Amino acid sequence: MSATAETVPASAPWEIREATAEDWPAIWEILEPVIRAGETFTWDPDTTEVQARDKWFKTAPGQTFVAVGTGGSDGMVLGTGELHPNQGGGGSHVANAGYMVRAGYGGRGVARALCAYSLQAARDAGFRAMQFNAVVESNVRAVAAWQGMGFEILGTIPEAFNHPRLGYVGLHVMYRRL
Amino acid sequence: MSATAETVPASAPWEIREATAEDWPAIWEILEPVIRAGETFTWDPDTTEVQARDKWFKTAPGQTFVAVGTGGSDGMVLGTGELHPNQGGGGSHVANAGYMVRAGYGGRGVARALCAYSLQAARDAGFRAMQFNAVVESNVRAVAAWQGMGFEILGTIPEAFNHPRLGYVGLHVMYRRL
């Protein structure tokens, strides 16, 4: 673990904890615009709230978590993430994770903090590595953020994502050991 | 499409067609030993028959198919495959597929024929490319077969598969356009 790669400022005005069923309405406020936009996640833009809830809430060894504001945005859910085995059977020691940040709260380090939390949670659950299967190439801020968190691009599936504005762009497979 | 890459001998003693519910007992005879062995698929080796059936049978634009013997093995299901979108939303134009061959019937071209069928079926369903997410590196016959069918290795996730005899081996991400 690289201290520089995963350290989040001590003054970060949020805390990250496991999500509960009561967090769902706030989580859905975050997920819905991201899903509907269809620019960064390979989810059907017409995914219903019930489908999204089933898909986002994970069971052990995975988990779902939220970043909750502790400063001026006291109690507001600023972002959410989930962690789960990327494959079954012989592939179940590699984790996969996803993160979404509340609209208007990007660029403050919330996604990085969610990622750092998931890396430690994955280690604690016994995973040996983390893999992202489909990082949209045009989502350059995310790609740079994950590289800054120690992930490397292992390969890029050409034209694997049909971006609503940009057309076909690649999907990166990203990876790091834990 | 390369004729050399996808042509199956005209004398191949099987035909490939969409699977029906009546094929399930024969399909399960094929799947169960492959799943239990845990050497080539990232499925939980303890997957139940009901879980396997839910997982193997795909709906449109995907499909599930069988190779049925027409010669000496008349009517025997020699292999089976399935085809489905690899991702949702903006990623749904890339297909994923899997194939399993009946124990004792390897090395006869059944897997290649199933792959060729899936490539054409994927084209017919409007997919633009096919991707395999997790080809076990030690399954060298499969890797060579898919390369022979026009797939390339886009990346390899290191030590991403815990092989019951070989320990940690890589998982290849393989890809071809349609």
Side-chain angles (χ1 to χ4, degrees), chain A residues 68-91:
Chain A
V68 181
T70 55
S73 52
D74 220 17
M76 176 180 281
V77 178
L78 304 176
T80 177
E82 58 79 25
L83 164 73
H84 62 277
N86 193 49
Q87 300 281 355

Side-chain angles (χ1 to χ4, degrees), chain A residues 38 41-45 87-94 128-129 131 133-134 154-163 168 171 173 175 177, chain B residues 38 41-45 87-94 128-129 131 133-134 154-163 168 171 173 175 177:
Chain A
F41 272 71
T42 58
W43 287 36
D44 180 344
Q87 300 281 355
S92 59
H93 59 286
V94 178
R128 295 166 56 101
Q131 177 180 347
N133 299 309
L154 287 187
T156 304
I157 321 302
E159 302 183 0
F161 188 77
N162 190 6
H163 190 285
Y168 291 102
L171 287 175
V173 177
Y175 170 88
R177 292 182 186 279
Chain B
F41 272 71
T42 57
W43 287 37
D44 180 345
Q87 300 281 353
S92 58
H93 59 285
V94 179
R128 296 165 55 102
Q131 176 180 346
N133 300 310
L154 287 187
T156 304
I157 321 299
E159 301 184 2
F161 188 77
N162 191 7
H163 189 287
Y168 291 103
L171 287 175
V173 177
Y175 170 89
R177 291 181 186 279

